[in-house]
Amino acid sequence: MVSAASTVKELREYFATGRTRPYEWRIAQLKQIIKLIDENQAEITECLHQDISKPPFESFVAEISLTKASCKVTISGLKKWMAPEKVGTTITSFPSSAEILPEPLGVVLIISAWNYPFLLSMDPVIGAIAAGNAVVLKPSEVAPASSSLLAKLIPKYLDGTAIRVFEGSVAETTSLLEQKWDKIFYTGSGRIGRIVMAAAANHLTPVTLELGGKCPVIVDPSADLEITARRIVAGKWGCNNGQACIAPDYIITLESFAPKLIDALKRTLEKFFGKDAFQSSDLSRIVNFSHFARLTRLLDDPKVSDKVIYGGQRDEKRLIITPTLLLDPPTDSLIMMEEIFGPLLPIITVQKMQEAVDFVNSQPKPLSAYLFSKNKKLEKNVVASISAGGMVINDTCLH
């Protein structure tokens, strides 16, 4: 296997030739990505099923079509994005002119995630190519079928002298992080994000960390109950069975309203996945035994053993945990202290809606926050009061 050091050296030499800079090179690579998708959609879908039992429809909607759409948007906007931007000058430099010139950063490293192994690999690659960079993509070893497919297809369709796939596990990733990069883009957990950031600091390399968190869903009694239940269920279990960084992590609602909401969620879960969710073909499985054991540990915490009000069945052999609702787990329980990243959904009750806002603000800032309400005053208060990476009103994950 080619070493990380020699890979970076070769890419730096190629980047120095300037061949990745022209519009023509960039646009040719982007068009080849669309061709890659169109000619290999069935194989991409099959690999996603092998890695995480992702349903075909979800694979198309959440991975294939989004990657293709990203590529098309980039192609349509690239010429404008590359153009110099004229800016004004001061009287002291008269009669000079000035402009801001977009330029490639250089040789960049992309470390992608296992939960959306095609989208979260190719989307940042699209951005890196559009900016004229040389790229190393490190797919997640936790999704081996998708990783192998990317390693096979990318050299076939794209310029292999400027765009490489580097497969492997911890040792290979560590080796990559020891090199000097001009940018590192990482998607994954905060624990690994700290390692990436520390490694990047050795070379003063700029980083983008796309991490997770506990994404709250505030449900106000004024919300449309059936629509709310459907959209929470779709956002939680319809997005990789909860294994998504923007999936709802917990619900917070009024104690008096909780029984109605719980009944609506139960009805919707049975409508979506049947009375026996083990038999559903519309649920992804847990990605591996390590994550299955982690979720089991959250459920087996003595503090929540009597809090499960729906679901909770497990099949270790098939790595399946059925959609699970918990009511009022203690705030110091494991399930309320860690990002869940799975099919478990706690429901926290409060007496007033302001308590819901205060509770969210007492936690680390979430990647996403959701509110279901018809109350415009509450909506304005939540948007103004809660800081999150993104926020959606009356839906989940749509952004």
Side-chain angles (χ1 to χ4, degrees), residues 44-348:
I44 294 165
T45 303
E46 174 57 29
C47 286
L48 292 171
H49 182 75
Q50 285 180 37
D51 284 331
I52 200 167
S53 294
K54 190 168 287 194
F57 180 72
E58 188 182 335
S59 294
F60 176 77
V61 170
E63 302 230 32
I64 293 166
S65 68
L66 285 181
T67 306
K68 199 169 173 181
S70 176
C71 213
K72 287 181 176 179
V73 167
T74 304
I75 288 170
S76 66
L78 185 58
K79 195 163 275 186
K80 184 180 177 183
W81 300 347
M82 289 178 66
E85 178 189 348
K86 290 197 176 297
V87 291
T89 58
T90 63
I91 190 68
T92 53
S93 59
F94 180 84
S96 66
S97 63
E99 64 183 19
I100 298 170
L101 182 66
E103 64 176 12
L105 289 171
V107 180
V108 303
L109 171 64
I110 295 166
I111 305 173
S112 70
W114 55 262
N115 57 333
Y116 291 86
F118 188 73
L119 173 69
L120 295 181
S121 293
M122 295 308 297
D123 203 24
V125 165
I126 289 166
I129 290 170
N133 297 293
V135 187
V136 170
L137 168 65
K138 167 60 182 69
S140 174
E141 69 278 9
V142 180
S146 297
S147 178
S148 295
L149 183 64
L150 289 165
K152 181 180 83 171
L153 295 181
I154 284 178
K156 180 179 176 182
Y157 285 86
L158 304 182
D159 182 353
T161 51
I163 304 156
R164 305 279 182 88
V165 178
F166 204 95
E167 287 194 284
S169 189
V170 176
E172 289 77 14
T173 305
T174 302
S175 176
L176 286 169
L177 288 172
E178 288 169 352
Q179 311 308 311
K180 176 171 170 49
W181 303 92
D182 298 302
K183 173 82 174 184
I184 299 175
F185 189 105
Y186 167 76
T187 304
S189 70
R191 182 177 65 84
I192 304 300
R194 290 181 179 90
I195 295 170
V196 171
M197 202 166 194
N202 289 328
H203 301 288
L204 295 179
T205 299
V207 296
T208 296
L209 302 178
E210 198 281 286
L211 310 177
K214 294 185 75 66
C215 302
V217 183
I218 298 174
V219 181
D220 175 53
S222 69
D224 184 306
L225 191 59
E226 296 306 316
I227 289 175
T228 298
R230 283 204 304 271
R231 291 178 179 177
I232 290 174
V233 169
K236 177 67 173 181
W237 293 280
C239 287
N240 230 17
N241 204 7
Q243 298 169 110
C245 56
I246 58 170
D249 191 275
Y250 64 94
I251 293 172
I252 186 162
T253 191
L254 294 186
E255 185 179 20
S256 58
F257 184 68
K260 291 181 181 177
L261 178 60
I262 290 165
D263 286 344
L265 288 169
K266 289 178 179 178
R267 286 195 304 273
T268 306
L269 282 166
E270 289 196 2
K271 186 177 179 183
F272 278 28
F273 307 116
K275 289 189 181 295
D276 182 4
F278 279 134
Q279 305 306 317
S280 175
S281 60
D282 295 316
L283 282 171
S284 301
R285 63 167 166 79
I286 307 306
V287 66
N288 58 25
F289 179 75
S290 173
H291 282 274
F292 185 91
R294 178 185 60 81
L295 289 163
T296 298
R297 181 172 58 89
L298 300 185
L299 270 181
D300 288 344
D301 180 358
K303 293 179 180 177
V304 303
S305 57
D306 61 342
K307 304 297 182 181
V308 176
I309 55 172
Y310 181 86
Q313 292 82 24
R314 313 162 209 179
D315 184 337
E316 185 177 314
K317 205 170 193 179
R318 295 163 61 202
L319 297 178
I320 296 174
I321 299 176
T322 60
T324 304
L325 301 174
L326 302 93
L327 182 60
D328 280 325
T331 54
D332 63 347
S333 58
L334 293 173
I335 203 166
M336 290 307 298
M337 295 175 71
E338 298 181 14
E339 181 182 9
I340 295 170
F341 221 74
L344 321 177
L345 185 62
I347 299 167
I348 305 297

Side-chain angles (χ1 to χ4, degrees), residues 7-22 25 104-107 132-135 161-162 182:
T7 298
V8 175
K9 182 175 181 291
E10 289 169 12
L11 289 176
R12 286 209 179 281
E13 289 171 355
Y14 189 78
F15 178 76
T17 67
R19 289 174 193 160
T20 65
R21 290 176 176 261
W25 181 87
L105 289 171
V107 180
N133 297 293
V135 187
T161 51
D182 298 302

